Amino acid sequence: MDKDAVLTHVLKQRRTPSLLGGEQPVSVMSSSRYVSQLTDREVENQLTDREVENQLTDREVENQLPSLDHAIRTALSGEVQTVVLVGGEGSGKTTALEKLVVDWAKGEHLQNFTYVLYFGLREIRSLKDELSLETLLQHHHSPVPSESMQLVLQKPEDVLFVFDDLDQYKLSLDPSVHTLCSDLSQAVSVSCMISSLLHGSLLRGAAFVVATRTTGWLEFLNGTRVEVSGFLKPQRETYFNGFFSDPAAANKALLHMERTLGFYDFCTSPRFCWTVCSIYKTLMDAGAKLPDTLTQLYVDILVHLMQALSLKEACNRELVQALGVMASHCSVSQNSSCTKEELHSFGFQKLLSSVGAFLNVDGDLESDACVFSFTSQLMQEFLLAVSFFLDMSVSEGMEKMWEKHKGHAKFLDLFLSGLSEPVQRRPLVILLGEFNSDRISDFKSWFKSSSEETLKGCYNDRHHRCFHLLHQAQNQSLVKEIISPSARTGISYGDLSLQDCVALNYVWSCLGEMKLLNLYRTRDLTDEKAEVLAPAMSLSHKIQLSYSTLSTGAVSHLASALSRGRTEELDLAHTSLGDEKLKVLCAGLRDCKLHTLKLLVCRLTEAGCEDLMCALTSGSSQLRVLEMMFNQIGDLGFMKLCKALQSPQCKLQQLQLRSCELTAVSMEALSAALCSGKSELRKVDLTSNTIGDGGVEALCKSLQHPHCKLQSLNLFDTELTGACCPHLMETLMSEHCSLLELDLSVNDLGHEGALLLCQALSCPGCPVEKLGLTRCELTQQVFKELGSLLRSGTSRLKSLIVGLNKVGDQGVKHLWDAVAHPACLLEELDVEMTDLTDACVEDLCAAVRASKTLKSLELRNNSLTDASVPALVQVMQDSCNMQEMNLKYNDFSEDVFEMLDECDKIRY
């Protein structure tokens, strides 16, 4: 077979080049602008986690993925007979296939095939007559000589068919709907012939490469599927450098595209890159401003195309409106192509010769069999938006138009939003005449009302769409009008796409300041997304990132935003941050307004505490609250933090260290910090650490020191016994003790230890106002002493938590008697699971009625029954002081639920 003839056939221009149709393959190859794409989505997906973990650059990713050309050749070199190339509009499938054939014809690749036959199904689908495969090869391909035909038939394994545009093949590939043929000389329909070839009944043993957009016919094709992945940033850079002769112009164009459009998926399309390069070059040569939005880009494209046609204004308007009618028809019918008869009905009668700038024209323009389709889906939707605003009739309002096209047109509302702004539509008004002001007003009214309804809801994807429309409009006053203060907080915008990040950042920047940037459960906050969101971060007083996954690069942008912004609270709980990323974050903590940092469950160790220490002592840190619960920092890590506490530069006031693997060893360091005279610490939570009696003894020394400012100490579940109570008693009676809150819950203090505490608490100078003694093995005698101190007139206790001590009605009666006493200051009382029964209710109600201070009563998990409900409801309704009574998990039946509902201060 003559390879030169194949080369001539493939490199022959089959269509008129167009701005929207992309660069012709022959031009791409002859100008050395061909950039092989990456492929194999499986490999790319496997790399995603490693990109986040190791911060692989686009170039490194590119080096680890096979090229499209290589993937096809590799598949064909094995036993695979069919390779299916799948990609979207303008993804470069045709160029890749033609490059494949050209490489074979030049003797560079696929030399194991003697014959490579290229067919565009878009071109041969119009063949109406039945014909044989022999006839097709001899007359509708680069002619296969008759002497070669016999060799093709005898050795099909040496033949490779290349079929492009399978999605344009409208008939089914389901073998059950065809009578497949096997005779090469038998005349059949083109559809039967294609199906017979692909299903192996005709020319069995031949190989196939088939290119298609995603279509339902794929399920009937066996073989290796190769996804066209499109251009990553480095490939776009290569393409732009190949397009522009001036490197500076190439760099300017690429940077502008990445900044304004790079977040759209279609920017990976080689065809779209060609369109952008072409229009940017035209604008740059004319010294014009490059577009800031997608709408502005398509305004520039439409102006360029219309000016090239050199029509009068009336004809320009008529052509765009006819294209809009066709766009609406294609959108609603979901039919990508139209006949010549349909085109006439749309209003193209006098303008048929001009449609080539916007439409694919398949067949002879003079023939009634000619078929027309939009070259670009984006331009189709843009023309629909323009024609809607050009139409001067009042037959169709925005609501009706939107309902008709919703679900079929992805970018229609974005284009409408952009075109509703005078600045963006002005070039089209000059070219096409005035837009319908009533329709523009109708759109704006629809947009405002629908946005208001959307922002009341809790669906963040709908919020995102509203933000996209605002971003497209580029109107700051409109943003402030639509995004009311009530719509600015609460909802989580986690799991943002890059496009969502751009829109959200635009809205936040227009507003100028935000209370909360809620990114809860953002599972893939990459370097690129965080870079886009950085300005929004710097404008937010609180950033919520709990349960998120942040790349190292994202943390770097977050740190930068903190250092120059107004953020006062940052929540990174459950982010698995790790020490290395914490080091990056700490660079931003040294000079920022951050007051609260939440690092709960962040996989931090001793190493991370070193960086925190440096940040806390930097001299400009404003950090007041640090939450580090459930991290393995251990004693060594905590001692580093204690060292920071002794610095006059450290302003930390609250430190939460629950379950951080601390022991008595590090309590000496904390004690030293507290009595150093430099620590500002007011609150420490040591819950669920193995502090033990020895650790408490060390702490008690500092709590008695005149320089210690600690007001709240939580020792919940820290393995204490009654042996620590003498030290605590001495501390609480000390003149320098400043503790207002002390929680000793879930420790085995026992009867004797608790009595010592009661003795201390009754001391006139004891400052404690809130005491936690849940599940401390307390006895009725201890409850009697607690009741006595509450009545003493010297106790300052306002909150007492003594649940899970099974003392029954008799034990708790001492507390009811105390609550009723005028000297008792108690505001909160928790007696959950203390074995209370209905017998206590009379005393309970008497206490509530008598008390002037009690506001909250916790009675969960006791044995109260329906019989108690009337009295409890009545006393709560009568009481002016009481705000809440919790009766959950008692022995109530559904019969009393309606009665309990009568009092909104009761929870049950």
Side-chain angles (χ1 to χ4, degrees):
M1 187 175 182
D2 188 352
K3 291 184 176 180
D4 288 337
V6 173
L7 199 59
T8 301
H9 170 73
V10 173
L11 294 179
K12 181 176 62 178
Q13 293 273 22
R14 282 179 290 283
R15 290 195 200 167
T16 305
S18 86
L19 181 65
L20 299 173
E23 188 173 11
Q24 292 292 309
V26 57
S27 172
V28 174
M29 288 180 274
S30 62
S31 64
S32 301
R33 281 207 284 263
Y34 181 73
V35 181
S36 183
Q37 299 183 51
L38 305 183
T39 184
D40 198 338
R41 283 293 184 192
E42 266 190 43
V43 177
E44 189 172 3
N45 289 337
Q46 290 169 8
L47 279 172
T48 300
D49 290 338
R50 283 158 53 200
E51 285 180 63
V52 173
E53 190 74 23
N54 302 324
Q55 284 297 284
L56 296 182
T57 64
D58 282 332
R59 186 74 70 185
E60 289 169 329
V61 173
E62 182 177 21
N63 292 336
Q64 297 188 48
L65 295 174
S67 72
L68 179 62
D69 301 341
H70 176 76
I72 297 172
R73 294 197 301 266
T74 300
L76 290 171
S77 65
E79 298 181 358
V80 175
Q81 289 189 309
T82 302
V83 177
V84 183
L85 195 63
V86 183
E89 171 192 306
S91 59
K93 302 183 297 298
T94 296
T95 305
L97 292 189
E98 296 195 9
K99 179 72 163 53
L100 192 75
V101 179
V102 167
D103 287 348
W104 171 81
K106 289 181 176 180
E108 296 175 2
H109 296 295
L110 300 177
Q111 297 306 293
N112 53 314
F113 292 105
T114 307
Y115 308 98
V116 175
L117 311 174
Y118 179 90
F119 292 94
L121 294 183
R122 182 193 289 272
E123 297 167 6
I124 68 171
R125 67 179 178 177
S126 59
L127 297 174
K128 301 298 183 184
D129 299 331
E130 293 189 344
L131 71 168
S132 66
L133 180 60
E134 291 179 346
T135 304
L136 179 68
L137 296 181
Q138 288 178 330
H139 298 289
H140 296 286
H141 185 268
S142 52
V144 178
S146 55
E147 61 273 15
S148 299
M149 186 63 66
Q150 292 305 312
L151 297 175
V152 170
L153 305 182
Q154 290 170 8
K155 296 192 68 179
E157 63 273 12
D158 290 348
V159 181
L160 170 63
F161 284 91
V162 178
F163 288 145
D164 194 11
D165 294 323
L166 181 69
D167 48 284
Q168 298 297 321
Y169 174 79
K170 298 302 180 184
L171 299 175
S172 177
L173 286 175
D174 183 351
S176 66
V177 304
H178 295 285
T179 302
L180 300 180
C181 73
S182 57
D183 185 352
L184 283 80
S185 60
Q186 178 184 351
V188 294
S189 66
V190 173
S191 62
C192 179
M193 183 188 303
I194 299 298
S195 294
S196 299
L197 282 167
L198 291 175
H199 290 298
S201 66
L202 185 62
L203 208 63
R204 181 180 296 275
F208 301 90
V209 177
V210 179
T212 179
R213 300 181 195 179
T214 301
T215 170
W217 307 147
L218 285 173
E219 63 178 295
F220 300 112
L221 283 177
N222 296 319
T224 298
R225 185 174 299 185
V226 179
E227 301 280 349
V228 182
S229 301
F231 285 170
L232 293 177
K233 279 188 178 182
Q235 295 166 300
R236 290 202 285 268
E237 180 182 347
T238 300
Y239 186 84
F240 273 65
N241 284 332
F243 186 96
F244 291 90
S245 56
D246 178 10
N251 185 56
K252 177 183 176 181
L254 180 63
L255 287 177
H256 187 273
M257 174 181 164
E258 298 295 353
R259 181 175 62 83
T260 58
L261 303 168
F263 44 85
Y264 287 112
D265 291 342
F266 47 72
C267 287
T268 63
S269 161
R271 180 191 291 178
F272 185 78
C273 289
W274 155 260
T275 301
V276 169
C277 285
S278 301
I279 200 67
Y280 276 19
K281 187 176 188 305
T282 301
L283 293 170
M284 289 162 69
D285 289 347
K289 181 178 179 290
L290 296 180
D292 289 327
T293 65
L294 185 65
T295 300
Q296 290 177 22
L297 172 68
Y298 273 84
V299 166
D300 287 333
I301 292 172
L302 182 54
V303 167
H304 178 81
L305 291 173
M306 299 306 295
Q307 287 176 340
L309 291 174
S310 300
L311 301 175
K312 294 181 179 178
E313 180 184 303
C315 292
N316 285 336
R317 192 180 184 98
E318 186 179 347
L319 176 59
V320 171
Q321 287 185 292
L323 288 165
V325 175
M326 178 180 172
S328 178
H329 169 81
C330 292
S331 174
V332 174
S333 66
Q334 291 293 280
N335 190 352
S336 60
S337 59
C338 297
T339 64
K340 192 171 183 180
E341 182 181 356
E342 287 174 317
L343 244 65
H344 284 310
S345 71
F346 300 148
F348 284 101
Q349 292 92 331
K350 301 175 184 178
L351 302 164
L352 210 58
S353 60
S354 301
V355 299
F358 299 93
L359 305 176
N360 290 318
V361 181
D362 294 316
D364 185 356
L365 192 62
E366 301 300 321
S367 169
D368 289 339
C370 191
V371 177
F372 304 85
S373 59
F374 278 99
T375 304
S376 161
Q377 177 68 29
L378 277 170
M379 179 53 87
Q380 175 184 321
E381 295 185 21
F382 179 72
L383 288 166
L384 176 55
V386 174
S387 65
F388 174 74
F389 283 147
L390 283 178
D391 190 349
M392 292 299 179
S393 70
V394 294
S395 59
E396 184 178 58
M398 179 61 207
E399 192 74 42
K400 184 178 178 182
M401 185 262 203
W402 179 242
E403 286 301 319
K404 183 164 67 175
H405 295 285
K406 186 169 65 174
H408 304 312
K410 183 178 179 181
F411 292 92
L412 176 59
D413 54 346
L414 294 181
F415 287 135
L416 288 168
S417 182
L419 291 169
S420 69
E421 293 298 320
V423 174
Q424 299 201 57
R425 67 174 181 267
R426 185 173 295 125
L428 293 182
V429 172
I430 295 171
L431 193 68
L432 305 173
E434 289 296 328
F435 283 34
N436 187 332
S437 59
D438 290 337
R439 287 200 164 185
I440 291 172
S441 297
D442 188 29
F443 168 79
K444 288 188 172 181
S445 176
W446 171 84
F447 178 35
K448 290 177 184 178
S449 61
S450 62
S451 297
E452 182 180 342
E453 192 65 29
T454 292
L455 294 171
K456 287 179 183 176
C458 57
Y459 296 101
N460 62 8
D461 57 331
R462 297 179 187 176
H463 284 227
H464 290 156
R465 194 62 182 178
C466 176
F467 297 161
H468 292 316
L469 296 178
L470 289 168
H471 174 248
Q472 207 61 215
Q474 294 287 296
N475 184 330
Q476 184 176 6
S477 61
L478 182 63
V479 173
K480 292 182 176 179
E481 181 181 351
I482 288 179
I483 311 296
S484 62
S486 61
R488 300 182 190 184
T489 59
I491 194 168
S492 169
Y493 294 112
D495 278 353
L496 298 154
S497 68
L498 186 57
Q499 187 178 344
D500 295 333
C501 291
V502 170
L504 180 62
N505 184 69
Y506 171 76
V507 169
W508 257 235
S509 299
C510 287
L511 295 172
E513 184 176 7
M514 291 297 298
K515 288 183 180 179
L516 171 66
L517 176 59
N518 192 345
L519 301 175
Y520 173 75
R521 284 196 185 278
T522 299
R523 286 170 288 191
D524 60 341
L525 189 59
T526 62
D527 185 346
E528 194 172 24
K529 291 179 182 178
E531 183 178 12
V532 169
L533 282 174
M537 291 175 178
S538 66
L539 293 170
S540 303
H541 289 279
K542 178 179 178 180
I543 301 175
Q544 171 64 271
L545 276 164
S546 58
Y547 290 91
S548 297
T549 303
L550 292 77
S551 69
T552 303
V555 175
S556 178
H557 289 299
L558 173 59
S560 178
L562 292 174
S563 67
R564 66 174 185 270
R566 59 189 66 177
T567 306
E568 296 172 352
E569 181 174 338
L570 173 62
D571 190 344
L572 291 168
H574 295 273
T575 57
S576 301
L577 194 68
D579 295 329
E580 288 304 313
K581 292 175 186 175
L582 178 63
K583 179 188 286 290
V584 176
L585 179 68
C586 284
L589 298 181
R590 293 171 186 168
D591 186 17
C592 68
K593 295 183 175 66
L594 202 66
H595 282 201
T596 301
L597 177 60
K598 299 182 179 182
L599 298 171
L600 168 73
V601 195
C602 282
R603 295 188 181 177
L604 304 179
T605 69
E606 173 197 342
C609 294
E610 182 77 34
D611 296 299
L612 279 171
M613 180 184 73
C614 294
L616 290 168
T617 58
S618 64
S620 51
S621 171
Q622 301 296 314
L623 207 60
R624 300 291 195 274
V625 180
L626 180 59
E627 298 183 5
M628 297 191 66
M629 299 87 86
F630 299 98
N631 287 292
Q632 298 175 328
I633 66 171
D635 289 322
L636 293 177
F638 183 42
M639 284 190 275
K640 291 178 180 178
L641 294 180
C642 291
K643 185 177 179 181
L645 293 172
Q646 296 187 56
S647 167
Q649 310 296 338
C650 179
K651 299 179 178 64
L652 208 60
Q653 295 180 357
Q654 296 184 31
L655 188 55
Q656 300 201 25
L657 296 161
R658 179 174 184 174
S659 298
C660 283
E661 301 186 359
L662 308 183
T663 71
V665 173
S666 55
M667 293 305 105
E668 289 285 355
L670 176 57
S671 182
L674 291 173
C675 59
S676 65
K678 299 172 183 176
S679 172
E680 296 293 327
L681 208 58
R682 301 292 195 275
K683 183 174 183 177
V684 177
D685 185 348
L686 297 169
T687 296
S688 299
N689 286 289
T690 316
I691 304 302
D693 298 330
V696 171
E697 183 179 356
L699 286 175
C700 285
K701 295 175 184 177
S702 62
L703 293 171
Q704 299 175 53
H705 197 281
H707 289 157
C708 179
K709 301 173 184 177
L710 201 67
Q711 296 176 350
S712 176
L713 177 62
N714 192 334
L715 295 169
F716 185 107
D717 188 23
T718 50
E719 300 194 7
L720 308 183
T721 70
C724 73
C725 291
H727 303 292
L728 285 169
M729 177 179 137
E730 182 183 357
T731 297
L732 296 176
M733 296 174 70
S734 166
E735 64 174 313
H736 298 300
C737 178
S738 56
L739 275 183
L740 299 177
E741 299 180 4
L742 177 62
D743 194 343
L744 299 166
S745 298
V746 193
N747 287 293
D748 295 331
L749 302 182
H751 175 76
E752 296 298 331
L755 289 177
L756 290 177
L757 290 177
C758 290
Q759 185 179 339
L761 291 164
S762 63
C763 178
C766 180
V768 176
E769 296 179 356
K770 182 174 182 178
L771 178 64
L773 293 172
T774 299
R775 213 193 77 187
C776 283
E777 308 298 328
L778 305 185
T779 63
Q780 288 190 17
Q781 181 62 33
V782 173
F783 270 66
K784 181 179 179 180
E785 291 300 318
L786 286 170
S788 178
L789 77 90
L790 288 171
R791 295 193 304 268
S792 66
T794 57
S795 170
R796 300 183 188 179
L797 277 180
K798 294 180 180 179
S799 176
L800 179 62
I801 306 169
V802 287
L804 280 76
N805 291 289
K806 297 184 181 295
V807 295
D809 295 331
Q810 289 302 312
V812 178
K813 186 180 188 308
H814 298 293
L815 299 185
W816 301 139
D817 292 343
V819 169
H821 195 279
C824 179
L825 304 177
L826 216 55
E827 297 177 1
E828 299 176 356
L829 177 61
D830 183 341
V831 286
E832 176 187 1
M833 203 181 291
T834 51
D835 287 350
L836 297 179
T837 69
D838 293 334
C840 78
V841 172
E842 184 177 349
D843 292 327
L844 185 162
C845 291
V848 170
R849 286 192 174 92
S851 174
K852 302 299 182 185
T853 58
L854 196 64
K855 298 177 182 178
S856 174
L857 190 54
E858 182 68 63
L859 295 165
R860 283 183 303 171
N861 292 296
N862 282 293
S863 301
L864 303 177
T865 69
D866 293 359
S868 300
V869 171
L872 294 173
V873 170
Q874 188 64 53
V875 77
M876 288 298 288
Q877 288 176 334
D878 293 343
S879 174
C880 297
N881 298 324
M882 284 294 291
Q883 297 174 358
E884 181 179 78
M885 178 184 288
N886 193 341
L887 294 170
K888 286 186 176 182
Y889 315 121
N890 277 278
D891 297 335
F892 301 137
S893 70
E894 293 183 8
D895 296 340
V896 297
F897 287 177
E898 188 173 341
M899 187 183 304
L900 288 166
D901 283 335
E902 293 176 6
C903 183
D904 58 9
K905 294 190 286 186
I906 293 179
R907 289 194 294 155
Y908 67 93

